[in-house]
Amino acid sequence: MNAPSARKATPGRLAAIIVTLLILLSPFLWLLQMSFKTNDQILQFPPPLIFTPTLEHYAALWHSAFSASFVNSLLSASLSTALALLFGVPAAYALSRWAGRGKHALSFAILVTRMAPPIAFTIPFFLFYRWIGLLDTITGLVLVYTSFNLPLVIWMMQPFFDTIPVSLEEAALVDGARTRTVFTKIVLPMVTPGIAATAILCFLYAWNDFFFALILTRTNARTAPVAVVNFMNYEGWEWGKIAAGGSLVMAPVLIFSLAVRRYLVSGLTAGAVKG
Amino acid sequence: MLLAVAVLPAVYLVVTSLTPFQLTTPGSATDFSSPLRNYGLLPGDPRFVNSLWVQAKLSCWGVLFQVLLGMLLALLLNVPSRFVEFARTFFLIPMVLPPIVVAVIWKLIYTPDISPLYYAAQALHFTMPALTSSVDFALTAIVIADTWEWMPFTFLMVLAALQTIPDEYSEAALVDGANTLQIFWYVTLPFITPILVISGMFRLIDSVKAFPLIFLLTSGGPGTVTEVTNYYAYLLAFDTNEIGYSSAVTVVMLLLVAGISLGLVWMGRRREAMG
């Protein structure tokens, strides 16, 4: 038997890791393989493990209202990410240079917006949107996601700015550069990797949202996660479409998660460690 | 600005909770004639009391399993190896998937006609009870799905803690003749106890957000067996139109969550102070 505290990559342990991983991921893999089966194959018993993959469900989704929902998801997630960065990055820079005033308010905002159950925000947003006519609009969704991502952007970006020596900026100022130029030409390029990682986390947050989209949209601004659920209706569940739709909804998440592995941890546990 | 994101909706929510607001009743949003009526109704509402109890069961079992399994997984994967480092990312998949896709995946597993779980049971001539529609098993089914989704979080936190333990400690213990279990119990466990507590606490606070799972798997049923407070508040506001009363339920839920969080932080401080 391998000692858990003795840190050795023995073949036995590697095998155990692989088996555990397969068991853990099997529910997820089952959904994925189902999206490539015909409806007959989905209902067949025993389930065929080897089959000729079909793209019929994906094609059906392409020609259905689902594609519009997918575009809605893309739009609301990317617009809200852009807005949150536009306001959040300069704010993080300012906070970093002003010796961390406002950090307390920031931790509070992060904690509240990330940890309070969404229903606590949906009722006020729903009533307010109903009043000013923002229900079932992309604008409405974008505003919600932006306000939730803003604290995250500031929270994630501030440490990046903290690592840039002030002397570097002072040198540029002495050389005659303006404050604005210093920020755009010197500071920003140095934090690009941080911005990219933060952007992806913001995008994922908006993309993954189900609750706000469920309440604040009906048909025009319906997002992909809500559209997937609509394939489960009273006439019966269209499992092929559900599987294909689910796979499409998780595709960007998987791609981005692999791309920002290193930053994923700090983003997912935001507020957990420092808060 | 930051405070506005968190505070304004909360104020609005509290104001609404003081009214008998229903969308269908004109003027009810500004009727403050009996502001505490909603709160007075709460203790006598069996569905509300039941929902707190359901939430407590769901949270306790979920957190227990997530912390234990996350710890075991972290111990297994805490080896210096390129391959294992690469594999770790895949263990995070359940946590980064859109929550609604997680719910769809488990819907699939719990639906007899197409579920690999029921296929396996059938092949072994074992009669699998209907999990999500049974009074005895529905909550367990939710706990299992919730554990699958969030175990990676505790895994991530514990792994980070494990990696800060210097190898010399367990090596010294090994030289002194300690066996694997003794090393775990006397060297590793004391080291990671704080992080076990912290990640458990964060999962506990976050566990009120299991909405998509409950929405899709059981809709709170059968009866009210899986109706957590969050879901009850959702039904009240967006199904039966009792927005004022739902706000009151949400406010109480928020206060409970905040109270538990503060209590846990206070306990953490006290522990530290006592050394």
Side-chain angles (χ1 to χ4, degrees):
Chain A
M1 203 193 127
N2 298 309
S5 52
R7 317 207 302 132
K8 280 193 212 85
T10 56
R13 181 182 280 227
L14 286 183
I17 289 174
I18 293 171
V19 170
T20 318
L21 185 61
L22 280 178
I23 294 172
L24 188 78
L25 289 190
S26 56
F28 153 79
L29 294 171
W30 192 263
L31 180 83
L32 208 57
Q33 59 94 30
M34 224 172 84
S35 72
F36 296 110
K37 279 179 173 173
T38 62
N39 282 327
D40 288 343
Q41 284 165 337
I42 288 174
L43 293 170
Q44 215 169 314
F45 180 82
L49 291 176
I50 296 157
F51 56 92
T52 320
T54 168
L55 289 176
E56 62 173 80
H57 301 300
Y58 289 96
L61 289 183
W62 177 256
H63 295 293
S64 73
F66 183 82
S67 47
S69 314
F70 203 80
V71 173
N72 285 344
S73 277
L74 278 177
L75 270 179
S76 52
S78 35
L79 285 177
S80 64
T81 303
L83 276 178
L85 289 176
L86 190 67
F87 293 111
V89 171
Y93 178 65
L95 272 180
S96 161
R97 287 298 174 261
W98 272 331
R101 267 188 71 236
K103 268 184 187 154
H104 204 72
L106 188 63
S107 338
F108 176 73
I110 273 272
L111 273 178
V112 171
T113 55
R114 297 273 145 172
M115 310 205 82
I119 183 103
F121 297 97
T122 9
I123 294 179
F125 269 110
F126 176 79
L127 296 176
F128 184 60
Y129 277 13
R130 195 170 152 274
W131 183 43
I132 61 171
L134 274 179
L135 277 185
D136 202 17
T137 62
I138 303 276
T139 319
L141 279 185
V142 169
L143 283 179
V144 175
Y145 297 152
T146 306
S147 59
F148 278 81
N149 275 330
L150 203 52
L152 179 76
V153 172
I154 301 177
W155 183 265
M156 293 267 307
M157 287 312 296
Q158 208 179 308
F160 283 100
F161 288 122
D162 286 345
T163 59
I164 300 176
V166 184
S167 53
L168 206 68
E169 292 163 51
E170 285 165 354
L173 286 172
V174 169
D175 287 345
R178 285 181 207 182
T179 320
R180 181 182 289 269
T181 328
V182 172
F183 182 63
T184 52
K185 291 275 157 66
I186 296 176
V187 178
L188 269 191
M190 294 181 77
V191 295
T192 318
I195 294 183
T198 310
I200 291 178
L201 284 169
C202 289
F203 183 90
L204 291 186
Y205 172 80
W207 183 267
N208 282 355
D209 167 67
F210 173 70
F211 199 70
F212 285 108
L214 176 75
I215 308 288
L216 302 178
T217 71
R218 288 286 174 274
T219 46
N220 298 329
R222 181 192 288 156
T223 60
V226 182
V228 168
V229 172
N230 284 342
F231 289 128
M232 301 181 176
N233 47 40
Y234 293 109
E235 293 108 67
W237 297 334
E238 304 168 82
W239 278 111
K241 282 186 185 169
I242 293 168
S247 305
L248 283 176
V249 172
M250 66 193 182
V253 175
L254 293 176
I255 296 165
F256 282 153
S257 303
L258 284 174
V260 283
R261 291 215 297 285
R262 283 199 301 139
Y263 304 98
L264 198 61
V265 177
S266 53
L268 290 171
T269 53
V273 184
K274 290 185 269 188
Chain B
M1 162 70 214
L2 284 167
L3 287 171
V5 172
V7 171
L8 271 186
V11 172
Y12 199 12
L13 188 73
V14 172
V15 170
T16 313
S17 75
L18 302 176
T19 66
F21 189 13
Q22 287 178 315
L23 283 180
T24 44
T25 317
S28 58
T30 47
D31 176 6
F32 293 101
S33 53
S34 52
L36 292 177
R37 176 186 155 270
N38 289 329
Y39 292 96
L41 288 173
L42 283 176
D45 179 355
R47 275 181 83 172
F48 174 70
V49 176
N50 170 67
S51 76
L52 291 176
W53 182 228
V54 172
Q55 181 68 64
K57 281 193 282 191
L58 173 64
S59 297
C60 290
W61 286 112
V63 169
L64 183 69
F65 288 135
Q66 284 155 32
V67 170
L68 277 182
L69 292 173
M71 183 186 76
L72 288 176
L73 204 56
L75 288 170
L76 181 69
L77 265 86
N78 184 29
V79 284
S81 137
R82 273 276 158 90
F83 168 76
V84 175
E85 249 165 63
F86 175 72
R88 273 176 207 155
T89 314
F90 292 93
F91 279 92
L92 301 183
I93 285 181
M95 173 170 70
V96 295
L97 287 183
I100 196 63
V101 174
V102 172
V104 165
I105 287 175
W106 284 93
K107 185 86 191 173
L108 195 66
I109 309 264
Y110 291 143
T111 303
D113 293 344
I114 49 160
S115 155
L117 188 67
Y118 285 85
Y119 286 151
Q122 206 174 332
L124 296 169
H125 300 287
F126 167 76
T127 318
M128 190 80 183
L131 288 175
T132 47
S133 56
S134 136
V135 176
D136 298 325
F137 296 114
L139 194 61
T140 312
I142 302 275
V143 170
I144 293 172
D146 191 55
T147 301
W148 184 80
E149 184 176 5
W150 290 110
M151 183 177 68
F153 177 80
T154 53
F155 157 69
L156 203 61
M157 302 270 285
V158 177
L159 186 65
L162 283 177
Q163 289 179 339
T164 62
I165 306 180
D167 277 341
E168 289 82 38
Y169 285 26
S170 53
E171 275 161 21
L174 212 59
V175 171
D176 288 346
N179 65 29
T180 308
L181 263 180
Q182 285 170 327
I183 292 179
F184 171 72
W185 192 256
Y186 293 108
V187 180
T188 315
L189 196 60
F191 234 104
I192 60 171
T193 308
I195 208 76
L196 290 180
V197 174
I198 291 174
S199 43
M201 160 184 146
F202 272 86
R203 280 309 308 143
L204 184 70
I205 298 167
D206 252 6
S207 63
V208 288
K209 287 203 255 178
F211 181 85
L213 282 177
I214 291 166
F215 178 81
L216 211 58
L217 294 183
T218 62
S219 312
T224 54
V225 173
T226 59
E227 192 174 270
V228 292
T229 317
N230 195 18
Y231 194 77
Y232 181 47
Y234 158 77
L235 287 181
L236 281 173
F238 301 107
D239 212 48
T240 52
N241 208 354
E242 296 278 358
I243 293 194
Y245 187 53
S246 172
S247 301
V249 170
T250 308
V251 168
V252 171
M253 181 169 66
L254 274 179
L255 287 178
L256 281 175
V257 172
I260 291 172
S261 321
L262 284 177
L264 288 168
V265 169
W266 182 75
M267 267 167 56
R269 291 240 171 89
R270 236 170 75 108
R271 260 180 69 104
E272 258 168 40
M274 286 161 71

